Amino acid sequence: MTPSTDSPSPSTDSPSPSPSTLAEVDAPITGVRAWAFEAMVSFGTAVLFAASCIAIRVYTPNRAGQISALSSMALRFCVLAIVFIAILYLVAKKRNDAAFAKTTRWVCAALAGMATGMIGGGVLVALRGTPYGLNAMGGDAGALISWTYAIHRGDEIPPMYPPLALHIFHKYSHLVGLPPEFSLKHLQILGTLAFGPFAYLSWRLLLSPTWALGIGVISCLPLVEPYKPFPNLMLVVFLPLALLFLRTIQGLEARTTRQIAKAATAYGLAFGVMFLMYSGWFKWAAPGLLVTTLMILPWRTARRHCFYLFAITGAVFLVITWRHLGGLLLDPASKIADNYIYFDTKVEPMYFAMWRNDLPGMAGVGQWPPHGELGGVGLFTILLIIGFGMAMALGHKTLLVACLVPMMLGAWLSRFWYAHLMWETKLVQLYPRTTPLILYCMIVLTGYALYWMFQRVPMSHPLRGRTGVLGAVCALAFLYCSTGSALSERYMPVSTDPPGPGWLTMNAYQANWASKPKRRQSEALPWVRRVAPTPIPALAPAALAPATGAAPAPAPAPTAATAPASTSAPAPVPTSAPSPAPSMGPAPAPAP
């Protein structure tokens, strides 16, 4: 049976939909102008929030400065969230459905920008005082900087690496007039704060504002990676775009040739740009997408339309990516032989709940992955598995399950295949990169399970009205303030062994300290210093009084046996017969 694009139908005893509910009034966005306006609100809020963090002037290598910075960002978030929620509440009291729906769109778009704008502001504050980005010029950051310098000189870059991110890096360095090692800091901050708007706007094409704010932004939080933001940023957009493409395939019968040509051109451009930014997600998702496409393709009823769609999409895709794709397929130098055994390659292959990227390790972690509560499996993983089962039960006929489940299974099988060959080949082949894709699919499936359960709630229930929207916005604002503070705290500078994310920031500070000129003071040379004069020993008062009857006997001359070994210190003064004071002129006459 062909999967349906609609959500599971609610129970038959539910009353007819009321136009006063946001769930029915505000459907997934369709107009380009409305989508562009929400994009302006979301990106503008993220940039303004991060820019406001410039006023936080603390010394973050000190822990007191870090606490002050995190509190300042949380204060900003809470004040803005209270203002947005108060505006939404006042509009809800007016009983104007259209105004409430429009205000909800703006508030949700703004909260999506604040969710990761706070994280971008945290990275900005953490790097305050150093012009370098995370990890300065070490590791992958150093490789990106060296390849950008190669583009500056007109040299070739490695054919296996996606070129678009490097060319954006190159153009931005010229635009701001900074060397790549300094402009990388800007791109890391901008890429971090873009996660929330990208996730919200992508899922907004499929969901209403509150659900796009919930499912879309929550599912992208584990993918936020300020060190190298662009690969995971492409994954955030790739999943909803793949769902839209499959939905277009499923509805080809009702489309004209002109509509198919416009949609195919747009999909070819979008997939081509993402492929040039990071092509790894196409490799891991391709098996599942191929299975889903063969399942839903209307070969019998719209064969010609199918040919138009794939031909135009493929042609536009090849025009954009032919040079990079040809290098990957034909150039022997582009063959990947990944033998980097690092922290995540030693993790149990079934574990996917958290991903530590390709850092050597994490500080303060005694056992990784942490031993879970049920058979070694943690509570978060158990909740995701329950959500997966609920999604399969409630939405087994939907396009979302038909797309995400094969995609996730294909990533799992590829992961196990490369991992089981690691002992024989001593190659990793980037298989830990399947973890973000699997985790993303599981969180989205769990969110949609809640969405389908919510659709079964009667329309007369308060959860389906304005109070439900207000409650959801309040809860999500609280969650995003907490996650923003926690993720910002991870990148506060700290020197640990093994290194963690904070070590990347500390490395930027150390590079800045090493590049500063050292202050020197003039000092006297040791061989021209004057030796301090030997102090005269203090004498007892009795030695200064003249003796009665006879003059004091002179001190015996030192002999070789009694001479001191060093002349640097005066000879000790005997306490029984103190020596007379040194003569400063003729001796005074004895008293009568």
Side-chain angles (χ1 to χ4, degrees):
M1 179 180 294
T2 302
S4 173
T5 58
D6 299 327
S7 59
S9 58
S11 57
T12 57
D13 57 348
S14 300
S16 59
S18 172
S20 62
T21 57
L22 179 68
E24 301 297 330
V25 172
D26 199 15
I29 198 165
T30 54
V32 177
R33 184 177 299 179
W35 187 87
F37 188 81
E38 290 188 28
M40 290 175 56
V41 172
S42 188
F43 280 105
T45 308
V47 172
L48 289 177
F49 189 96
S52 71
C53 296
I54 299 176
I56 302 176
R57 300 179 178 273
V58 296
Y59 183 64
T60 50
N62 187 283
R63 184 57 182 171
Q66 297 175 10
I67 298 298
S68 181
L70 294 173
S71 301
S72 299
M73 291 187 295
L75 180 62
R76 285 166 167 78
F77 192 102
C78 290
V79 171
L80 289 175
I82 290 172
V83 171
F84 291 148
I85 294 171
I87 293 174
L88 188 63
Y89 175 76
L90 293 176
V91 175
K93 292 188 68 175
K94 293 183 177 181
R95 303 290 181 178
N96 189 331
D97 299 330
F100 184 72
K102 185 180 295 185
T103 307
T104 302
R105 292 197 296 266
W106 296 349
V107 170
C108 290
L111 286 177
M114 289 169 55
T116 51
M118 185 176 180
I119 305 172
V123 176
L124 186 149
V125 174
L127 293 172
R128 180 178 179 81
T130 173
Y132 292 93
L134 295 173
N135 206 16
M137 298 181 67
D140 290 344
L144 294 175
I145 292 169
S146 63
W147 292 338
T148 305
Y149 272 119
I151 297 177
H152 287 348
R153 298 188 301 266
D155 299 338
E156 293 290 334
I157 59 176
M160 81 287 293
Y161 199 85
L164 184 55
L166 295 177
H167 284 278
I168 292 175
F169 193 5
H170 158 69
K171 294 295 183 182
Y172 183 80
S173 298
H174 274 295
L175 178 65
V176 298
L178 291 174
E181 57 266 27
F182 294 166
S183 60
L184 180 61
K185 172 184 175 180
H186 299 182
L187 293 179
Q188 288 174 340
I189 295 172
L190 292 174
T192 301
L193 60 87
F195 270 90
F198 267 70
Y200 173 80
L201 295 171
S202 301
W203 287 101
R204 187 70 179 88
L205 301 172
L206 300 167
L207 295 166
S208 63
T210 48
W211 286 103
L213 180 64
I215 296 176
V217 180
I218 288 177
S219 60
C220 86
L221 289 176
L223 309 180
V224 176
E225 181 54 59
Y227 181 35
K228 295 180 294 183
F230 295 107
N232 286 1
L233 198 59
M234 293 301 101
L235 176 59
V236 169
V237 182
F238 177 79
L239 206 59
L241 187 63
L243 283 168
L244 282 175
F245 182 69
L246 294 174
R247 176 177 291 183
T248 303
I249 295 175
Q250 198 174 42
L252 281 177
E253 299 178 22
R255 291 178 178 264
T256 64
T257 305
R258 184 177 180 181
Q259 291 175 337
I260 293 174
K262 291 172 62 177
T265 304
Y267 286 126
L269 286 171
F271 284 126
V273 169
M274 286 192 295
F275 188 83
L276 293 179
M277 288 292 292
Y278 186 73
S279 56
W281 310 126
F282 290 81
K283 173 184 176 180
W284 306 119
L289 285 178
L290 179 61
V291 171
T292 306
T293 303
L294 295 177
M295 287 172 54
I296 67 173
L297 202 62
W299 290 104
R300 298 180 179 178
T301 58
R303 184 175 303 177
R304 182 179 299 177
H305 288 178
C306 294
F307 175 77
Y308 288 157
L309 178 68
F310 286 105
I312 298 174
T313 303
V316 175
F317 181 82
L318 290 176
V319 167
I320 297 176
T321 64
W322 69 270
R323 188 171 182 179
H324 176 52
L325 185 61
L328 290 176
L329 298 177
L330 304 177
D331 192 345
S334 65
K335 184 179 180 181
I336 297 177
D338 178 25
N339 57 0
Y340 181 39
I341 306 294
Y342 64 100
F343 180 70
D344 256 346
T345 61
K346 302 177 183 179
V347 173
E348 173 200 350
M350 274 297 295
Y351 184 76
F352 66 92
M354 282 185 282
W355 184 48
R356 297 299 190 183
N357 210 326
D358 51 359
L359 292 177
M362 282 298 297
V365 178
Q367 179 184 359
W368 190 261
H371 191 74
E373 296 84 0
L374 181 62
V377 180
L379 180 60
F380 176 62
T381 306
I382 294 173
L383 291 177
L384 291 180
I385 294 173
I386 294 174
F388 170 72
M390 294 295 295
M392 291 291 292
L394 298 175
H396 63 279
K397 295 182 179 180
T398 61
L399 182 62
L400 180 121
V401 171
C403 173
L404 296 191
V405 173
M407 186 187 302
M408 185 175 60
L409 291 178
W412 273 116
L413 295 177
S414 301
R415 176 190 185 94
F416 294 148
W417 176 259
Y418 287 114
H420 100 281
L421 293 175
M422 190 165 60
W423 174 257
E424 178 183 350
T425 61
K426 302 298 186 293
L427 296 177
V428 178
Q429 297 303 85
L430 303 175
Y431 83 80
R433 303 292 178 122
T434 58
T435 302
L437 177 59
I438 295 170
L439 180 58
Y440 192 24
C441 292
M442 289 291 287
I443 296 177
V444 170
L445 286 169
T446 303
Y448 262 89
L450 295 175
Y451 171 73
W452 290 326
M453 293 176 64
F454 180 80
Q455 295 301 313
R456 296 171 178 265
V457 176
M459 297 298 298
S460 59
H461 198 279
L463 289 176
R464 301 295 297 269
R466 295 182 178 89
T467 56
V469 174
L470 284 169
V473 170
C474 292
L476 291 173
F478 195 103
L479 173 64
Y480 294 147
C481 184
S482 302
T483 56
S485 179
L487 292 175
S488 298
E489 199 271 340
R490 288 184 62 199
Y491 289 91
M492 290 297 169
V494 60
S495 182
T496 57
D497 186 23
W503 173 80
L504 300 175
T505 314
M506 182 59 72
N507 207 13
Y509 274 92
Q510 291 174 350
N512 185 43
W513 295 333
S515 64
K516 286 184 176 180
K518 303 297 186 294
R519 294 183 179 180
R520 300 188 179 276
Q521 297 178 354
S522 59
E523 299 177 357
L525 299 177
W527 54 83
V528 297
R529 287 179 179 172
R530 295 182 179 181
V531 180
T534 304
I536 300 175
L539 301 179
L544 300 177
T548 56
T559 61
T562 61
S566 174
T567 59
S568 60
V573 179
T575 56
S576 59
S579 300
S583 175
M584 303 298 293

